[in-house]
Amino acid sequence: MSQRHSEETLGDDSPLLVEQRFASAVDINDHQGHSKSVKVTYRSSRRSQSKSPIRQEPKMCSSESHSVILSTESPAALKLGTQQMIPTGLALISKTKQRPVSASSSTFGKDRPQQDSKRMSAPNISLDDLEMEMESCGSLKRNLRNQSYRAAMKGFEDTDGGETVKPLSTLAPVPEGAATQPPRSPGRAKKPIGRKKTQRGSFKDDPRLYQQIRERGLSLGSILPDVEEESQNEFIQVGHPEPDEGIVVQNFRPTQMTWSQLPQVQESGALENMEPLERKRQEAIFEVITSEFSYQHSLNILVSFFKNSEELRKTMTTTDHHHLFSNICDILEASKRFFEELEKEHKKNFVIESISEIVEMHATHQFQAYVVYCSNEVYQQRTLQRLLSSNVAFKETLKTIEKKPECGGLPLISFLILPMQRATRLPLLMDTICQKTLDDQKSPATKALKAISKLVKTCNEGAQRMERTEQMYTLQKQLEFGKIKSFPVISASRWLLKRGELTVSGEDHGIFRKGFGRQNCYLFLFNDVLIITRKKSEENYIVMDYANLDQVEAQNIDSNDSDLSPSSKQSITMCLFQITMKKNSEGKKERITLAAESLSDKARWISALQYKKQKDDKTTDKEALSQVESIKAYVAKEPDEVSLQLAEVVIVLKEVDGWYQGERVRDGERGWFPQHCAKAITNDAALKQNVCRMMRLRVETDV
């Protein structure tokens, strides 16, 4: 232990205080059975000015040769006498807790004999490890190391005479060099929880499922020039759920590696001289590459663990297997070729000049497998639902596969929709690259954006065409016209907007006036015609009337309207609205009052009945409307709903009873979705930029 010198002096009461803190009485029996009171006191190696001589205890006789010795090499002084202070572990005769060995203690235990009784009774301690305080009652206190250590190094006073005691002259200080502790290994250094770690190596070292990542190019911050990207955040901060929300499960894995975190980028010093806009462009390009690798990794899991599973194949027919997985292998091969081209460009130079030509070429010539896969979506979803509801063997086998760690506990449906998700996200990622590119260099990126947007439009049209055609064939068989003049339901330009059951309100039954009591009707609203039916069975309907949509008007009815009869005011939920057919199937004017189950259902029917008027309305000021960003994905369950991906930006057109009617920024698709799936955007700069982005996408993706 190294010597320490201080010019400070202790007050009159300090030695007594230190003596009480560093003194403890204990009884020790010698070989002859005599009991002696010994006081152990830690002493400083520095000699203090003494006002009175140190009291010396009488020397022990030969019978007392086995006296207790604390240490003969310690810099702390030993006071041989009737009172000595010993560590807590020895006083309690219990096993001491293992503590890190300090410099002085490591010196003490170098030459300790294993069978020496004197050494066995002396603990391996040092002043560096001493963190205790002796109270007047004899109990020990912890965490007073600084005060006790400082006082011990300045000197002590005798409790009886109140004079300063100096150490025995027979003790020599331990050389500082002998007690020097070797430097601690950096690898063993403790790191506090939550400290950010520098990601090293390649982004391919720890691939993540595409369902578990969120591209920064889809977030609001990526399109705002004055918002700093949060690329350095290691952990996602998630607030506590509200009392009425469900349990929130959050995976606190570090975010995916960014371009600026690459070892070659950091070692080259390229970030020091790079413009902020160019750095963001490199981040956006690199994100296309890394997200494509994650997407490819998830496709490999889908093919290896689900499609190629013999156990799963045995639970279904060959047709069901084909409808379920379609041409997913072709999608995987297209993704591999695309990623190989991107990775080759990345390996040429970590500062990538452009990937626009690669994206344009693959979107034009290599991604046709996406159109086939998306066109099969209707059969895929129906087959999966049927197998899950009626095939027990399929359901149990599927659960076993989904529980495998490679699948991340995710359901099969999350893997099956991956191609649709990737196809719709690529235009947004390319648009982010366009915004980070200088105007004189933006032409290749704009061409790539148009090419990938044209692919997405073709995929959507293929999926809608198959769905609508099959839906029309099904409805043609379910509708019975009876005495009403029939017309062909199946048409290439016709699709279903909304369908559902409503209650005919009050005494104004209209075409239902011949019935008695409460009556219901079932409406089929297409983009060009409204068909009013009555249920015959669960799958068959009798047509009561119909009219072209341009001859139909919908009007909201206030429940407090004085013109309503008492019977109408007592209608269910009082969510009333009126439909007026200027020319019905017989060319006559017909009016019918209906009651919906909720305010949102009424608003959705009125909005759907005004489809043509809303479609032609171009005067709405989008900048004056509110905006929301989806906080989780939502799959449309009704024809008038819109599906949302994570971080989807939507312009809100209406807000009714827990539902939004909105327009997606990326493609202008309109529909309803629950409010709990989105959060409001309040940043003024973000609101303006989202509107500008929407207008720009309408022009640049007009294919």
Side-chain angles (χ1 to χ4, degrees):
M1 182 174 179
S2 59
Q3 296 180 351
R4 297 179 59 180
H5 301 278
S6 174
E7 297 301 331
E8 298 177 2
T9 59
L10 297 175
D12 296 337
D13 296 334
S14 298
L16 181 58
L17 174 62
V18 175
E19 183 69 13
Q20 291 177 353
R21 292 185 177 182
F22 287 80
S24 177
V26 69
D27 293 334
I28 302 176
N29 295 328
D30 58 11
H31 292 284
Q32 296 180 357
H34 300 291
S35 177
K36 292 187 177 183
S37 179
V38 183
K39 180 181 179 182
V40 181
T41 305
Y42 287 96
R43 304 287 300 276
S44 172
S45 60
R46 177 190 175 196
R47 293 182 176 273
S48 305
Q49 297 296 330
S50 178
K51 297 181 180 179
S52 63
I54 302 175
R55 292 186 300 166
Q56 301 290 341
E57 298 293 337
K59 295 183 179 180
M60 295 182 183
C61 59
S62 59
S63 62
E64 300 175 349
S65 58
H66 298 282
S67 59
V68 177
I69 301 176
L70 182 61
S71 175
T72 58
E73 301 178 358
S74 172
L78 285 178
K79 181 179 180 182
L80 301 179
T82 59
Q83 292 183 339
Q84 285 189 343
M85 178 179 175
I86 65 176
T88 308
L90 182 60
L92 297 178
I93 318 178
S94 61
K95 183 177 180 180
T96 58
K97 183 179 179 180
Q98 295 293 333
R99 297 172 60 87
V101 180
S102 64
S104 56
S105 61
S106 61
T107 307
F108 300 154
K110 284 184 177 181
D111 303 320
R112 178 166 49 188
Q114 295 182 356
Q115 302 298 331
D116 190 348
S117 60
K118 300 179 182 179
R119 303 289 184 177
M120 291 290 289
S121 61
N124 185 12
I125 62 172
S126 71
L127 289 178
D128 291 340
D129 290 334
L130 185 61
E131 297 180 359
M132 57 186 174
E133 176 187 17
M134 177 65 69
E135 291 182 327
S136 60
C137 59
S139 61
L140 294 177
K141 280 187 177 180
R142 310 291 296 181
N143 301 326
L144 293 174
R145 171 180 178 182
N146 292 339
Q147 298 179 9
S148 60
Y149 181 83
R150 192 180 302 113
M153 298 308 298
K154 292 180 180 178
F156 305 100
E157 285 190 2
D158 187 25
T159 56
D160 296 335
E163 296 180 352
T164 305
V165 182
K166 54 185 178 180
L168 296 175
S169 58
T170 56
L171 294 177
V174 179
E176 184 176 359
T180 302
Q181 186 179 10
R184 189 171 184 177
S185 173
R188 296 172 57 189
K190 295 182 179 179
K191 298 179 180 179
I193 298 176
R195 176 175 294 178
K196 295 189 291 186
K197 301 178 181 179
T198 303
Q199 299 187 18
R200 304 289 292 177
S202 171
F203 62 89
K204 301 171 63 176
D205 295 341
D206 184 22
R208 300 177 61 179
L209 295 174
Y210 191 64
Q211 301 95 313
Q212 297 175 340
I213 69 170
R214 173 178 173 177
E215 293 97 328
R216 296 180 182 85
L218 307 181
S219 62
L220 294 175
S222 62
I223 64 173
L224 298 178
D226 55 345
V227 176
E228 182 66 22
E229 294 183 352
E230 300 178 355
S231 59
Q232 302 298 329
N233 290 344
E234 288 287 341
F235 300 100
I236 302 174
Q237 298 180 357
V238 178
H240 296 288
E242 297 295 332
D244 58 342
E245 294 182 1
I247 299 175
V248 176
V249 179
Q250 176 67 37
N251 181 12
F252 286 93
R253 286 189 61 181
T255 55
Q256 196 166 353
M257 177 180 289
T258 60
W259 178 80
S260 59
Q261 292 173 336
L262 290 173
Q264 54 267 41
V265 174
Q266 295 181 347
E267 294 170 0
S268 65
L271 297 175
E272 298 178 359
N273 301 323
M274 184 173 292
E275 294 293 333
L277 184 63
E278 175 62 18
R279 175 179 174 176
K280 292 181 180 181
R281 190 182 76 92
Q282 292 296 326
E283 294 284 5
I285 292 175
F286 185 71
E287 188 169 46
V288 174
I289 301 175
T290 55
S291 60
E292 184 67 28
F293 182 73
S294 296
Y295 168 64
Q296 179 184 317
H297 173 62
S298 293
L299 291 180
N300 275 317
I301 298 296
L302 174 60
V303 173
S304 302
F305 289 88
F306 293 97
K307 182 181 184 301
N308 295 341
S309 172
E310 292 297 330
E311 293 80 4
L312 193 63
R313 184 187 295 269
K314 293 177 182 178
T315 63
M316 69 183 91
T317 64
T318 304
T319 303
D320 288 342
H321 191 271
H322 173 71
H323 285 167
L324 200 59
F325 298 104
S326 187
N327 64 328
I328 191 62
C329 291
D330 297 337
I331 298 289
L332 177 59
E333 292 301 319
S335 176
K336 288 181 178 180
R337 292 191 295 267
F338 183 45
F339 177 74
E340 287 176 0
E341 294 286 340
L342 294 175
E343 188 180 29
K344 186 183 300 183
E345 192 70 20
H346 173 64
K347 289 182 177 179
K348 288 181 181 178
N349 190 350
F350 60 85
V351 181
I352 303 175
E353 182 177 353
S354 175
I355 61 170
S356 301
E357 294 80 3
I358 299 176
V359 174
E360 182 184 5
M361 187 273 292
H362 281 265
T364 305
H365 304 290
Q366 302 292 332
F367 284 170
Q368 297 306 310
Y370 282 87
V371 180
V372 178
Y373 189 88
C374 293
S375 301
N376 185 61
E377 182 182 5
V378 178
Y379 303 104
Q380 182 187 75
Q381 301 294 332
R382 181 186 304 151
T383 301
L384 180 60
Q385 293 177 2
R386 177 171 52 82
L387 291 174
L388 288 174
S389 60
S390 61
N391 193 328
V392 179
F394 172 83
K395 188 175 182 180
E396 295 299 324
T397 305
L398 184 61
K399 284 184 177 179
T400 303
I401 299 176
E402 290 174 347
K403 290 180 181 179
K404 293 184 178 181
E406 294 84 356
C407 302
L410 298 173
L412 173 61
I413 184 63
S414 68
F415 290 92
L416 293 177
I417 64 175
L418 285 174
M420 282 80 79
Q421 287 182 342
R422 185 59 177 171
T424 54
R425 289 183 183 182
L426 277 176
L428 296 179
L429 295 175
M430 284 305 304
D431 179 62
T432 303
I433 295 177
C434 287
Q435 297 312 298
K436 310 305 178 187
T437 306
L438 298 177
D439 293 338
D440 57 346
Q441 304 173 0
K442 192 174 292 187
S443 178
T446 303
K447 291 181 180 179
L449 176 59
K450 284 184 176 291
I452 198 66
S453 299
K454 184 177 182 179
L455 173 70
V456 174
K457 184 178 181 180
T458 306
C459 290
N460 290 335
E461 290 176 350
Q464 291 175 354
R465 188 184 308 110
M466 294 297 295
E467 180 180 8
R468 293 169 180 175
T469 301
E470 184 181 11
Q471 197 174 55
M472 291 297 102
Y473 274 106
T474 303
L475 291 177
Q476 179 73 55
K477 297 178 182 180
Q478 293 178 343
L479 296 177
E480 299 179 10
F481 283 86
K483 297 180 180 181
I484 302 297
K485 181 181 179 181
S486 64
F487 68 94
V489 177
I490 300 176
S491 173
S493 59
R494 179 176 295 141
W495 65 87
L496 187 66
L497 295 178
K498 189 172 179 60
R499 59 184 291 177
E501 191 171 19
L502 297 167
T503 301
V504 181
S505 174
E507 70 279 353
D508 185 16
H509 293 287
I511 57 177
F512 297 91
R513 63 177 57 92
K514 296 180 180 180
F516 296 95
R518 174 184 170 187
Q519 298 188 53
N520 294 336
C521 64
Y522 201 98
L523 271 59
F524 292 90
L525 178 62
F526 299 90
N527 64 315
D528 61 344
V529 64
L530 170 66
I531 301 179
I532 302 175
T533 70
R534 178 172 54 86
K535 262 191 175 183
K536 180 180 181 181
S537 64
E538 288 298 325
E539 295 184 356
N540 292 285
Y541 307 87
I542 299 177
V543 178
M544 305 297 295
D545 207 348
Y546 63 83
N548 291 330
L549 193 57
D550 55 4
Q551 299 296 320
V552 176
E553 291 182 354
Q555 181 181 2
N556 179 40
I557 298 179
D558 189 357
S559 59
N560 297 323
D561 193 342
S562 59
D563 295 336
L564 292 177
S565 63
S567 59
S568 297
K569 291 186 177 181
Q570 294 175 359
S571 297
I572 300 174
T573 67
M574 299 305 294
C575 300
L576 304 176
F577 66 99
Q578 192 174 76
I579 294 179
T580 302
M581 294 181 288
K582 299 177 182 179
K583 290 183 179 181
N584 63 356
S585 59
E586 298 178 354
K588 300 178 180 180
K589 184 176 181 179
E590 189 69 45
R591 181 182 291 108
I592 180 173
T593 303
L594 302 173
E597 293 183 354
S598 63
L599 292 174
S600 61
D601 192 28
K602 179 179 75 170
R604 290 170 64 170
W605 270 111
I606 295 176
S607 177
L609 289 166
Q610 298 173 348
Y611 166 76
K612 282 188 172 293
K613 184 185 298 184
Q614 293 179 355
K615 182 180 179 181
D616 298 334
D617 185 13
K618 305 293 185 180
T619 60
T620 304
D621 184 11
K622 301 297 176 60
E623 293 185 0
L625 300 176
S626 60
Q627 301 175 17
V628 295
E629 180 185 13
S630 59
I631 58 177
K632 60 181 178 180
Y634 178 74
V635 179
K637 300 176 179 59
E638 298 292 337
D640 65 333
E641 295 180 2
V642 62
S643 297
L644 300 178
Q645 298 181 15
L646 181 65
E648 190 96 68
V649 180
V650 185
I651 306 294
V652 177
L653 304 175
K654 290 182 182 179
E655 178 181 353
V656 181
D657 195 24
W659 285 81
Y660 285 128
Q661 184 190 31
E663 179 179 342
R664 286 191 311 215
V665 169
R666 62 179 170 89
D667 59 0
E669 188 73 19
R670 290 187 177 188
W672 294 82
F673 59 95
Q675 288 185 3
H676 65 80
C677 294
K679 64 178 180 180
I681 300 174
T682 58
N683 185 281
D684 293 336
L687 294 173
K688 294 180 180 179
Q689 284 285 27
N690 288 335
V691 174
C692 294
R693 187 183 202 187
M694 181 179 64
M695 299 303 178
R696 186 182 64 256
L697 286 174
R698 298 297 178 273
V699 176
E700 295 182 354
T701 62
D702 185 16
V703 291

